[in-house]
Amino acid sequence: ASVHCISEAIGGMYDTPHGVGNAIFLPFVFSHNRDADLRRHADVAYALGIDPNLGASAAAEAGVEQLFRMNHELGIPRFADVAGVREEDFLAIAEKSKSNISDASNAKEMSVESYLDVIRAADWIVDIGPEAGYNGGEVVFSGPLKALLKEEKSLTADYLTGRRKIA
């Protein structure tokens, strides 16, 4: 239910369609809620195509990853990509979400701080630097998109801002 609460709050503030808002925040709320009802979250994960031989905890975790993957494949924007999003609005979004009538039906009790945690997580980027993957790499940046764009050590920021271009 919290995903709807957040979606309604951002819909009113940024004119974001409710379904898009739900899609943006579903992986984050699913992750936040999964321990409140592992069996239910595992069942959702199995319905998303996760291996039914996995135990509930592993399946629920894989379900979170599957939701992120689906969002990427479907072209769902990240919260940071929503026009007009400002970090200074996060508290108002959290308060509006908490006061939403649907808040009480969430799988896990939510506080304003819980909503803030989910909202901040949706605005967070981790940039793993040169030669990430098999070759290792290192965390070059961890934080909100606006701060990443100012990071001079990040190749990702260089390309996003146009400081570098693909030849």
Side-chain angles (χ1 to χ4, degrees):
S2 291
V3 71
H4 293 285
C5 299
I6 297 170
S7 183
E8 286 183 14
I10 68 167
M13 293 181 80
Y14 306 119
D15 199 29
T16 304
H18 188 68
V20 172
N22 283 321
I24 290 169
F25 282 96
L26 184 58
F28 299 98
V29 172
F30 191 89
S31 177
H32 178 82
N33 286 341
R34 77 173 166 247
D35 294 337
D37 189 343
L38 271 177
R39 178 83 258 149
R40 189 163 115 197
H41 285 78
D43 287 344
V44 170
Y46 300 141
L48 292 170
I50 300 304
D51 182 354
N53 296 311
L54 288 176
S57 181
E61 178 62 31
V64 172
E65 294 169 16
Q66 178 71 346
L67 289 169
F68 280 116
R69 189 171 21 264
M70 290 171 65
N71 274 5
H72 176 73
E73 290 171 358
L74 294 170
I76 301 298
R78 293 173 304 112
F79 184 46
D81 297 331
V82 172
V85 169
R86 302 174 321 149
E87 190 173 351
E88 52 267 28
D89 294 339
F90 290 3
L91 180 58
I93 296 168
E95 289 171 342
K96 287 179 183 187
S97 299
K98 180 61 183 163
S99 67
N100 188 298
I101 194 165
S102 295
D103 172 73
S105 61
N106 195 53
K108 186 176 187 178
E109 186 173 340
M110 296 286 285
S111 64
V112 170
E113 190 60 39
S114 300
Y115 278 108
L116 277 171
D117 289 344
V118 169
I119 293 162
R120 287 181 184 130
D123 190 50
W124 205 260
I125 295 172
V126 176
D127 182 9
I128 300 176
E131 300 185 25
Y134 294 115
N135 296 320
E138 60 187 64
V139 174
V140 173
F141 175 83
S142 178
L145 176 63
K146 290 176 187 170
L148 169 66
L149 297 177
K150 297 175 187 172
E151 177 58 54
E152 294 180 9
K153 296 181 204 169
S154 168
L155 290 174
T156 301
D158 287 347
Y159 287 103
L160 288 173
T161 60
R163 293 188 299 250
R164 289 185 186 221
K165 299 200 184 315
I166 297 174

